Each structure stands twice: as C-alpha cells, then as structure tokens.
Amino acid sequence: MKRVQSGWLFAAPALIGLMLFVALPFVLAVVLAFTNLRLGSPLPLEYVGLQQFIRIFSDEAFLRALLNNAMFAMVVVPLQTALALLLALLLNSRLRGMTWYRTLFFMPVVFPLSLVAVVWVLILAPGPSGMLNRVLDMVSLGAWTPRNFLHDPLLALPAIMLTSVWQGMGFQMVIILAGLQAIPRELYEAAKIDGASCWNQFLYITLPQLRNTLIFVVLVTTILAFRLFDQVQIMTQGGPHNATTTAMYEAVQAAFARQQVARGAAISVVLFIFVLLITVVQRRLLKQEREVK
C-alpha cells in the first residue's frame, strides 16, 4: 500500500501538469468550438452547434491545409525514419570517435525550431549568393539556375520538409540506436557461423528485433508531422498561395490573427481527431501484420 501511495506521489507533478496544460485546454477548446466566440466582439457568446465545423470543412483554405499536412507526413515520416535507421546502423559500429559523431548528429534536435528555421532561411536564400544555390551551381558546373525556394509554390513545401528532416532525424536516430544496442550479439554471431551475409543479418535479425522501436518512431513522427507550425510561421507564413499552410498554422491564424477563437478551437479539435484516427489505423495495421507473421 505504501509503495502505491509513493508511486502516486511521485507521479502527481506530471499528472497535475498534464491536467492543467493538456486536458483542461483541450476540454476548453471542445466547448468553444460549439460557440461563436471572437476576441473583442460585442456579440454575446452563443451556442451555434456544428456551424463552425461545417464552415471549416466548406473552406478551401482549410482543406488545402489538411492536404499539405498529409503530403508533409507522407514524405517526412518514411524519409526521416529511413535516414535515422541508416545513421543508427552507422553509429552502432565500434569505431574511434563515435561519441563525437553521435553528438554531432543529435545536436540539431537540441536547437530550438525557431533557430533552425532562421538558419535554413539563410541557406535557402534566393539568387546566386544563396548558400544552397551556390552549392548546386558548383555541383552542376554552372548549369543550375538560381531558385527562390521559399517563394516557389512547387519548392516551398519540399524546402520545409528538408528542414524538418534535418532537424528531427537525430531524435529518431537515438531511439533506434538504443534499440540496436539492445539486440543480443549472440544472434549475429550465430548468423555468421551459419554463413549469413550482412544483408541477411539486417533483414532477418535487425529489422525484426527493431520492430517495436520502429513502430514507436513512426507513430511519434506522424504526430509531430501534423503539429507543423514553427517552420511555416518563420519561413513562409503559409505562402506562396497557401502552398505551405498547415492545419495548425490555420488554427493559430484564425484564433489570434483574425480573432476567430471558436474557429481556431474547431480546427484544433478536428486536427486532434484526425491524428487520433491515423494513429489508431497505424496501430491496427501494424498489429495485424505482426499477427500474420
């Protein structure tokens, strides 16, 4: 009994924080989503039912934001996971100086997203003086035409994808590296004795042993992909022509820039349900795949 009480006592600060900063704001957002609340509006607060939800699903800008979120997740999640797995495999080898390499690759995760976004704005600067344009010009031996990446409707979202992959890859790398180090070395030694190649060892030992780790990484990366805001706010402000607008950015703009608090709350609720459904579907599919095996 005392151990249970001690456990609740140690968990109390985290539980109080979750209630105050996660559960309570979400309940408030659900309540406000069914009203007509506006900041500074002289109109009395009224219950409007599902009108806010009907309006946002009739809004082309919001539907475009959801599409941008989906495209961002479909590219960033597999690419970031694959690169993190590759880095983890490289850094799991026993070579001199690996501690420094691990620190180097993890360092972008420590930096604030606002700082990372500003750095990449400088890297993606337009014209021949831009860093990325200059590098591509050198690699192509002068055949590259300088681009304005962040103001091109076709290149703005891929530029943000590149920034996000570079910044978040180290986080997944550390998790996968921990999973790799938990795999018993005896499995690889037995495989070598049986004459298994490196590719077969990776395919039949590493991947199955990393299954739970990779599921966790994919789920977390998917959730973070639908929370995309900082990079969009700093790098493109949703442009050009709504090419990089996301659901989170649209919610913040509605609530604070246009003072439509109820609309912003409705978008937040829809985004939460959307991410929850995607997470449940991923869990079900991965669980079914495991049962088949």
Side-chain angles (χ1 to χ4, degrees):
M1 188 63 180
K2 291 183 179 180
R3 297 179 65 180
V4 174
Q5 293 177 348
S6 300
W8 280 108
L9 182 63
F10 282 112
L15 293 175
I16 293 173
L18 287 174
M19 290 295 296
L20 290 178
F21 300 107
V22 178
L24 186 60
F26 179 73
V27 172
L28 182 60
V30 173
V31 173
L32 293 178
F34 293 94
T35 68
N36 63 344
L37 179 63
R38 292 177 59 96
L39 290 178
S41 174
L43 296 176
L45 185 64
E46 296 180 357
Y47 174 78
V48 297
L50 297 175
Q51 287 187 15
Q52 296 292 349
F53 297 96
I54 295 174
R55 289 172 183 170
I56 62 175
F57 279 106
S58 303
D59 186 4
E60 184 179 348
F62 174 71
L63 296 178
R64 176 63 185 271
L66 276 182
L67 178 61
N68 289 338
N69 262 134
M71 293 172 57
F72 181 87
M74 285 189 294
V75 173
V76 169
V77 173
L79 179 60
Q80 194 164 312
T81 304
L83 291 176
L85 176 60
L86 177 61
L87 282 178
L89 290 171
L90 292 175
L91 297 182
N92 194 41
S93 58
R94 298 178 180 178
L95 297 176
R96 295 179 59 182
M98 275 300 162
T99 303
W100 294 101
Y101 287 113
R102 293 173 185 175
T103 304
L104 180 65
F105 286 121
F106 185 75
M107 195 173 297
V109 181
V110 182
F111 296 151
L113 270 174
S114 55
L115 175 61
V116 172
V118 170
V119 170
W120 275 92
V121 167
L122 298 176
I123 294 175
L124 299 169
S129 60
M131 187 180 301
L132 183 57
N133 276 319
R134 184 180 292 272
V135 170
L136 292 175
D137 181 70
M138 294 174 57
V139 171
S140 63
L141 301 178
W144 173 259
T145 302
R147 306 289 181 87
N148 192 347
F149 296 98
L150 298 179
H151 289 83
D152 188 326
L154 296 178
L155 298 177
L157 188 59
I160 293 178
M161 292 175 182
L162 178 62
T163 303
S164 301
V165 169
W166 179 84
Q167 192 273 339
M169 184 171 52
F171 173 71
Q172 285 83 355
M173 178 200 72
V174 170
I175 297 175
I176 296 174
L177 184 59
L180 285 173
Q181 294 178 347
I183 300 176
R185 303 303 303 177
E186 293 80 4
L187 296 177
Y188 293 103
E189 293 173 359
K192 289 180 181 178
I193 293 175
D194 291 338
S197 63
C198 294
W199 171 250
N200 286 332
Q201 292 179 36
F202 171 76
L203 196 61
Y204 296 107
I205 297 178
T206 305
L207 283 182
Q209 292 292 319
L210 284 178
R211 187 178 188 283
N212 292 333
T213 302
L214 292 176
I215 290 173
F216 174 77
V217 167
V218 169
L219 290 177
V220 171
T221 309
T222 302
I223 294 173
L224 294 177
F226 281 92
R227 289 176 49 193
L228 178 65
F229 172 76
D230 300 71
Q231 301 95 308
V232 174
Q233 173 66 27
I234 295 173
M235 299 176 71
T236 61
Q237 292 80 47
H241 308 297
N242 292 329
T244 58
T245 302
T246 62
M248 182 68 73
Y249 180 82
E250 183 66 19
V252 173
Q253 288 295 307
F256 298 102
R258 300 191 294 270
Q259 299 185 347
Q260 300 171 339
V261 177
R263 176 184 172 86
I267 294 175
S268 300
V269 172
V270 170
L271 182 60
F272 171 80
I273 296 174
F274 192 70
V275 174
L276 180 62
L277 289 175
I278 291 177
T279 304
V280 171
V281 170
Q282 285 182 329
R283 292 281 296 178
R284 290 291 179 88
L285 291 177
L286 292 171
K287 182 178 181 181
Q288 291 174 358
E289 183 182 350
R290 180 174 57 184
E291 291 174 352
V292 170
K293 289 182 179 180

